[in-house]
Amino acid sequence: MRFSFDIVKQRKKFFALSIAVTVIGIVTMLIFGLNYGVDFKAGTTLDINVGQTIEKAKAEEIISGTGVAPAVVTIGGETNNRVTARFDTVLTQDQVNKVDSSFKSQFGDKVSKEENTVDPELAKELAYKAIYAVLIASVGIIIYVSIRFEWRFAVAGIVALLHDAFIVVSLFSIFRLEVNLPFVAAILTIVGYSINDTIVIFDRIRENLRFAKVKSFDDLADLVNRSIWQVMSRSINTVITVLVAAVCLFIFGSSAIRLFSLAMIFGLVSGAYSSIFIASPLWLIMKSKTIGSSKKKAVA
Amino acid sequence: MKRILAFIGIVVIVFAAIGLTSPALLKNIKLGLDLKGGFEILYVAQPIEPGGVVTQDTLRETARSLEQRANASGVSEPEVTPEGKDRIRVRIAGVVNETEVRAILQKPAELSFRGPDGTKEMVGSDFVQGGAKVGFDQNNRPEVQIKVKDPEKFRKVTEKLTGQTLAIYLDENMLSAPRVNYPITDGNAVITGNYTYDEAKKLADTINLGALPLKLTEKYTQSVGATLGQLSLHQTVEASIIASIFIVVFMLVLYRLPGLIASISIVTFTWALLGVTYLMNATLTLPGIAAFVLSVGMAVDANIITYERIKDELRSGKSLLSSLKSGSRNSFRTIMDANITTILAAVVLYFLGTGSIQGFALTLIFSIVVSIVTNVFFSRLLLHLLIRSNIATKPGYYGVKESEINAL
């Protein structure tokens, strides 16, 4: 017998933990909101690689010296050689060129820039599309899972999935990380991954149900527990491999996908957690109602 | 013995194919702007004339003339696509003088009718909006019928140029040089020539576009310097290689012999996915590479599900071969259910996303399909051959301890 611990019995603690994180997320989001990148809030972002170490004050001085609107400046890159300037207004082509050329005059022709500008109207459209995407994908998954399994699995799976998406959004709100379009892609991958992970456990529950005689809540709880533990090594090994990939991208990848990778890391951990500790116990609670009602009928 | 030879044969052939084609594949895959530098602009088109309406025809024509201008300014392979009701997306890679190209693109397309000496006699706004259409003459040959706003002006021009040509220009490109046969007084002209229907249609569309010049406003721009793009590519590929090495080592340690097969399948999977990307002529973007790396992680999942299942069956006391069979069968259903739900999310992403997000979604969809082929069928075939060859029979090779096996 392998080591096992009664996950189902402890379900209230896990539910409480998830509710607590969710509430904290809602509160921070109400107070601080999200730190939208240019994809969602109009403006211009300039990413300038100067080819050598640069200090924040120096970068700010160069930018303000060109007479453009003030920007939020961050320094990044391995050797602090990358300046990211975020402007709240849409910069004209001339203004961008001015900034670019003054960096070039200071640091030579090695300077390379990346520019992103989004119009306010379009930004709003993108934000709505992102929300629609999550909702439509959820509906599609509900339909598929309801057909292949039963609606209770679909509901439990979707709760777990929204939980994961929400936790990542909350964490980005709490740590004031920038929310941009790749972030949305990350959320959707997490949605896909989370449901993938959950389905594997559900599949095992469904399989075990075929041979089980479930008479009481305890029988069902025992079955769910057993199913979770049967696929535990798979759940852990899979999340480790995908997590390794995401962490490598985060550490060694280009800074353009750093936030994307970070969102993935948060989401993968949350996805594995919710698949094991939230989705199946939730299904159990919904399913156990059917045992209760049939029992009452039998008594009557 | 035959089976082990088949196993070795397949592995050698596959790896040889990978070795031979990979360099060419890597060189020929289309890279996105974020990886090689360039810029992408989304324009919103509005009519310059008040009260004008942007139609699909004028939008398409504007896109066509933008492409011609980009070509004329010397950039290679501009991608210009009309989007939705009033948008045009332009992608241009590796531009040296970005400002200049942008200025050229943004200028409204100018239609003019010029005399033999090059003076502009008529301009686009002299024509009735949507007034140009394709008709047929008595001999049923296509001709272009046009309408002008001011018949008096047209009469004077045609009177002056009777017997000479009145050439039609879009920007500086001459489209056609019809001859004026007689003065036209009613404002309705017909351009005949040996046109095919398509040529006539194209000319009529162009004249209509000229009659309604569209003003283009930049709504979204993304521009990536070439050095920065290459740096991103370099770093991300490096990250991918490191991640892959970690995954392979992890699989070997945890699953022994099947882990080796998983590693072979994963290498094959990566190569096949690159091949599909190339064959579909899809563009590899930065988020695309990220999706690529993640898909390697998720592809491992298919192997892990199968091997865990086989381990379970072995522990229950079944023979190796029957464990393989029931393990493969039982795990297949799980893998399909799990992957189809992920595909659903990716499909939604593809239809709602734009630009690089679409690239990401597409890579994710391909990767799942390719993953099922390589990490389920190919991997199963290899494992099958190995087990049937009877050289690796100890449960230890499959990560199962003798003590864990229950008697049946």
Side-chain angles (χ1 to χ4, degrees):
Chain A
M1 197 55 210
R2 280 181 289 169
F3 167 81
S4 75
F5 145 89
D6 196 340
I7 290 167
V8 172
K9 213 171 172 187
Q10 307 293 328
R11 64 183 181 278
K12 283 188 181 138
K13 287 179 192 157
F14 297 120
F15 288 157
L17 176 67
S18 285
I19 291 169
V21 175
T22 310
V23 169
I24 294 170
I26 292 174
V27 170
T28 46
M29 251 184 305
L30 285 178
I31 299 173
F32 305 112
L34 284 168
N35 178 16
Y36 289 111
V38 279
D39 293 338
F40 295 113
K41 196 168 93 181
T44 298
T45 296
L46 285 180
D47 238 326
I48 302 159
N49 198 331
V50 294
Q52 54 183 281
T53 305
I54 181 169
E55 299 205 338
K56 191 176 164 186
K58 177 80 181 160
E60 274 170 345
E61 186 195 312
I62 294 176
I63 293 169
S64 61
T66 58
V68 300
V72 180
V73 176
T74 39
I75 305 292
E78 271 164 48
T79 53
N80 286 337
N81 56 1
R82 193 181 171 117
V83 180
T84 303
R86 167 92 175 76
F87 301 88
D88 284 336
T89 52
V90 174
L91 258 53
T92 63
Q93 194 56 38
D94 283 347
Q95 287 174 314
V96 172
N97 287 338
K98 237 188 225 165
V99 174
D100 191 38
S101 56
S102 49
F103 271 99
K104 275 198 174 121
S105 67
Q106 293 266 350
F107 295 97
D109 278 342
K110 265 199 179 157
V111 171
S112 179
K113 76 160 181 7
E114 180 174 335
E115 178 197 348
N116 266 295
T117 300
V118 177
D119 178 88
E121 207 179 304
L122 198 72
K124 231 182 270 163
E125 191 185 305
L126 289 173
Y128 282 126
K129 270 191 171 177
I131 294 168
Y132 288 147
V134 174
L135 293 180
I136 295 172
S138 303
V139 172
I141 290 168
I142 286 183
I143 295 170
Y144 180 80
V145 176
S146 298
I147 293 170
R148 292 282 293 144
F149 294 76
E150 57 157 9
W151 67 269
R152 288 182 196 87
F153 282 115
V155 172
I158 293 298
V159 169
L161 168 168
L162 293 177
H163 163 270
D164 299 333
F166 192 77
I167 283 199
V168 179
V169 174
S170 303
L171 286 173
F172 267 60
S173 169
I174 292 168
F175 295 117
R176 312 304 307 145
L177 298 166
E178 197 181 289
V179 172
N180 53 16
L181 215 48
F183 174 79
V184 176
I187 292 280
L188 275 144
T189 320
I190 291 160
V191 165
Y193 178 82
S194 164
I195 194 76
N196 188 315
D197 216 22
T198 309
I199 291 289
V200 174
I201 300 177
F202 283 174
D203 191 68
R204 188 55 75 102
I205 293 178
R206 181 176 61 175
E207 190 184 319
N208 287 337
L209 267 178
R210 274 191 296 173
F211 304 106
K213 284 188 207 111
V214 179
K215 289 206 194 87
S216 66
F217 180 83
D218 286 340
D219 289 347
L220 199 62
D222 184 52
L223 185 143
V224 169
N225 241 338
R226 217 162 3 103
S227 306
I228 295 175
W229 277 103
Q230 279 169 359
V231 292
M232 188 60 92
S233 50
R234 173 264 158 204
S235 298
I236 292 172
N237 292 349
T238 303
V239 79
I240 288 175
T241 48
V242 188
L243 204 56
V244 160
V247 169
C248 282
L249 279 181
F250 178 71
I251 298 174
F252 306 109
S254 142
S255 52
I257 48 167
R258 190 142 294 163
L259 284 176
F260 171 88
S261 317
L262 193 62
M264 287 298 306
I265 293 171
F266 289 159
L268 288 170
V269 174
S270 170
Y273 164 81
S274 74
S275 296
I276 297 170
F277 300 105
I278 302 293
S280 308
L282 209 57
W283 176 82
L284 170 68
I285 290 170
M286 286 190 284
K287 187 71 180 175
S288 66
K289 299 243 162 73
T290 63
I291 307 174
S293 62
S294 63
K295 215 181 192 175
K296 267 175 211 152
K297 266 178 217 150
V299 171
Chain B
M1 204 53 201
K2 249 202 282 180
R3 295 203 175 88
I4 192 71
L5 284 179
F7 174 81
I8 294 169
I10 291 174
V11 173
V12 168
I13 290 171
V14 167
F15 275 75
I18 293 173
L20 288 175
T21 55
S22 292
L25 262 184
L26 289 174
K27 218 168 64 196
N28 289 320
I29 282 183
K30 234 172 45 188
L31 294 178
L33 298 175
D34 47 1
L35 296 176
K36 66 176 172 187
F39 66 89
E40 175 174 339
I41 305 173
L42 184 67
Y43 290 110
V44 169
Q46 290 156 316
I48 289 179
E49 303 268 301
V53 185
V54 181
T55 64
Q56 283 298 313
D57 276 344
T58 49
L59 196 66
R60 229 182 22 246
E61 268 306 301
T62 309
R64 194 141 56 194
S65 73
L66 277 183
E67 196 169 341
Q68 276 168 7
R69 283 185 204 176
N71 278 325
S73 67
V75 301
S76 61
E77 289 185 52
E79 263 179 71
V80 185
T81 37
E83 260 182 32
K85 284 204 307 275
D86 59 352
R87 289 176 186 170
I88 297 175
R89 188 180 294 273
V90 179
R91 288 197 190 97
I92 297 175
V95 176
V96 182
N97 199 337
E98 185 189 315
T99 325
E100 197 178 285
V101 176
R102 272 162 87 162
I104 295 173
L105 288 180
Q106 217 169 353
K107 204 178 65 178
E110 191 198 22
L111 181 81
S112 57
F113 279 45
R114 302 182 190 181
D117 58 350
T119 39
K120 291 179 188 169
E121 304 287 354
M122 310 275 294
V123 293
S125 56
D126 288 330
F127 298 89
V128 175
Q129 265 179 41
K133 45 180 183 279
V134 181
F136 294 93
D137 65 6
Q138 295 100 325
N139 298 323
N140 214 22
R141 279 181 310 199
E143 59 180 23
V144 179
Q145 299 164 346
I146 52 177
K147 267 195 188 120
V148 298
K149 284 182 188 156
D150 180 359
E152 184 55 25
K153 184 179 173 190
F154 198 47
R155 187 185 62 80
K156 278 185 188 148
V157 171
T158 46
E159 219 161 54
K160 190 176 80 182
L161 293 176
T162 299
Q164 300 179 32
T165 54
L166 184 61
I168 305 166
Y169 279 78
L170 185 67
D171 294 331
E172 290 307 311
N173 296 323
M174 192 177 79
L175 302 173
S176 170
R179 234 163 68 96
V180 183
N181 294 326
Y182 44 82
I184 297 162
T185 52
D186 64 352
N188 288 312
V190 170
I191 306 170
T192 52
N194 277 323
Y195 297 122
T196 62
Y197 180 80
D198 286 344
E199 283 164 2
K201 174 81 170 79
K202 198 173 164 193
L203 187 59
D205 283 347
T206 313
I207 293 168
N208 281 332
L209 161 71
L212 175 72
L214 298 177
K215 191 175 78 183
L216 299 174
T217 322
E218 293 183 358
K219 284 280 157 166
Y220 169 89
T221 54
Q222 186 188 23
S223 110
V224 180
T227 348
L228 204 59
Q230 272 153 21
L231 185 73
S232 294
L233 177 64
H234 181 76
Q235 287 174 334
T236 309
V237 167
E238 219 173 69
S240 313
I241 293 171
I242 296 171
S244 307
I245 292 172
F246 265 121
I247 291 172
V248 166
V249 170
F250 180 80
M251 289 301 285
L252 284 177
V253 170
L254 228 62
Y255 295 98
R256 317 288 165 82
L257 202 57
L260 175 72
I261 288 170
S263 305
I264 296 171
S265 316
I266 290 162
V267 172
T268 314
F269 162 77
T270 313
W271 168 73
L273 192 53
L274 280 174
V276 170
T277 309
Y278 169 71
L279 289 177
M280 300 281 298
N281 207 14
T283 308
L284 196 61
T285 57
L286 206 50
I289 296 185
F292 215 99
V293 177
L294 288 168
S295 71
V296 170
M298 307 237 269
V300 173
D301 187 39
N303 287 294
I304 290 181
I305 290 176
T306 312
Y307 302 156
E308 285 292 341
R309 199 72 212 213
I310 293 174
K311 271 179 160 182
D312 286 347
E313 305 283 345
L314 273 175
R315 285 195 191 103
S316 76
K318 283 187 187 166
S319 78
L320 204 50
L321 196 61
S322 59
S323 296
L324 171 72
K325 277 184 181 154
S326 55
S328 307
R329 199 181 46 240
N330 286 327
S331 59
F332 184 67
R333 197 187 49 228
T334 316
I335 294 169
M336 286 310 283
D337 278 338
N339 280 331
I340 287 171
T341 49
T342 309
I343 286 186
L344 278 174
V347 168
V348 171
L349 199 55
Y350 180 76
F351 283 109
L352 288 177
T354 50
S356 61
I357 297 296
Q358 277 187 330
F360 172 81
L362 216 53
T363 310
L364 203 58
I365 296 169
F366 289 159
S367 75
I368 292 171
V369 176
V370 175
S371 165
I372 290 169
V373 175
T374 53
N375 293 293
V376 177
F377 296 112
F378 182 63
S379 164
R380 198 191 284 179
L381 170 76
L382 290 181
L383 197 58
H384 206 84
L385 285 172
L386 207 61
I387 288 177
R388 292 288 290 267
S389 71
N390 282 330
I391 56 157
T393 48
K394 264 199 238 156
Y397 293 145
Y398 303 89
V400 175
K401 291 192 196 97
E402 303 267 2
S403 59
E404 290 173 338
I405 298 174
N406 298 324
L408 260 185

